[in-house]
């Protein structure tokens, strides 16, 4: 039995914040604004898993009004989604993701992001895809005002 899930996330880019993607701190002029560490990739992955299981979304489990999650590492949110997934008897078959960001170039950090995700999802890195693209100078991404992540995940019931 398979389940497919989709997740996306967007955050404003501002000066004076670290840029954290897939748990990796990226040297950059701007970082993502947000209540937690604002890791758009981990937020989108968390939403994709919750979505595959029809368990709501990241905001319904981890409110941005809750002071517990102020500056929280987003690995906490993903770990909880993985725990709920395991509880329902599912595992991740594979995951594909795209980060949209005008700068800096993310290529040097992709391997580390894939490894972090593989560890969190308890799968081999060959089943984890992280891609990056720019906004071609268009819209909020292209104008270096926002960062976005989009994710699809396929879950499989363990006894299938
Ligand atoms: Mg978010």
């Amino acid at each position: 039995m398979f389940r497919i899930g989709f997740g996306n996330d967007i955050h404003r880019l501002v000066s004076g914040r670290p840029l954290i993607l897939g748990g990796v701190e990226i040297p950059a002029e701007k970082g993502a604004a947000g209540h937690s560490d604002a890791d758009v990739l981990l937020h989108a992955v968390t939403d994709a898993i919750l979505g595959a299981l029809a368990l709501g979304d990241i905001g319904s489990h981890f409110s941005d009004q809750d002071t517990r999650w102020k500056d929280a590492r987003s690995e906490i949110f993903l770990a909880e989604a993985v725990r709920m997934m395991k509880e329902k008897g599912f595992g991740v078959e594979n995951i594909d993701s795209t980060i949209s960001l005008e700068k800096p170039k993310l290529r040097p950090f992709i391997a580390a992001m894939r490894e972090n995700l593989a560890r969190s999802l308890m799968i081999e890195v060959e089943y984890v895809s992280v891609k990056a693209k720019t906004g071609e100078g268009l819209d909020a991404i292209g104008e270096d005002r926002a960062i976005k992540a989009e994710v699809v995940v396929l879950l499989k019931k363990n006894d299938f």
Side-chain angles (χ1 to χ4, degrees):
M1 184 186 185
F2 291 96
R3 294 284 190 97
I4 193 166
F6 172 74
N8 71 348
D9 196 24
I10 188 165
H11 282 248
R12 279 186 301 113
L13 287 173
V14 293
S15 300
R17 285 272 301 184
L19 180 61
I20 299 169
L21 284 172
V24 179
E25 185 160 351
I26 316 276
E29 285 172 29
K30 294 178 179 177
H35 184 65
S36 65
D37 66 4
D39 188 325
V40 285
L41 180 57
L42 294 193
H43 290 184
V45 172
T46 302
D47 248 2
I49 292 171
L50 293 173
L53 298 166
L55 286 173
D57 60 34
I58 190 168
S60 61
H61 293 275
F62 307 100
S63 167
D64 62 6
Q65 306 299 313
D66 190 330
T67 52
R68 271 183 301 169
W69 315 126
K70 179 90 179 79
D71 297 322
R73 297 184 68 223
S74 296
E75 278 91 346
I76 296 170
F77 310 147
L78 180 54
E80 177 61 9
V82 168
R83 190 195 63 75
M84 287 189 272
M85 174 187 75
K86 296 278 179 195
E87 198 172 84
K88 285 189 167 287
F90 284 87
V92 173
E93 190 68 10
N94 77 301
I95 187 158
D96 186 20
S97 64
T98 299
I99 301 164
S100 298
L101 176 68
E102 200 63 11
K103 62 184 183 188
K105 291 286 179 212
L106 296 179
R107 195 178 305 276
F109 309 100
I110 296 284
M113 287 187 237
R114 291 177 67 207
E115 279 161 27
N116 277 353
L117 276 177
R119 193 177 329 106
S120 294
L121 300 171
M122 300 180 222
I123 59 176
E124 298 297 319
V125 74
E126 64 183 296
Y127 301 107
V128 178
S129 163
V130 176
K131 311 190 297 301
K133 63 195 320 163
T134 72
E136 296 285 341
L138 302 165
D139 71 25
I141 305 293
E143 291 167 4
D144 193 31
R145 292 189 288 115
I147 180 168
K148 185 171 74 175
E150 292 158 303
V151 171
V152 285
V153 65
L154 187 66
L155 308 187
K156 192 170 95 173
K157 194 105 183 180
N158 290 330
D159 47 11
F160 263 72

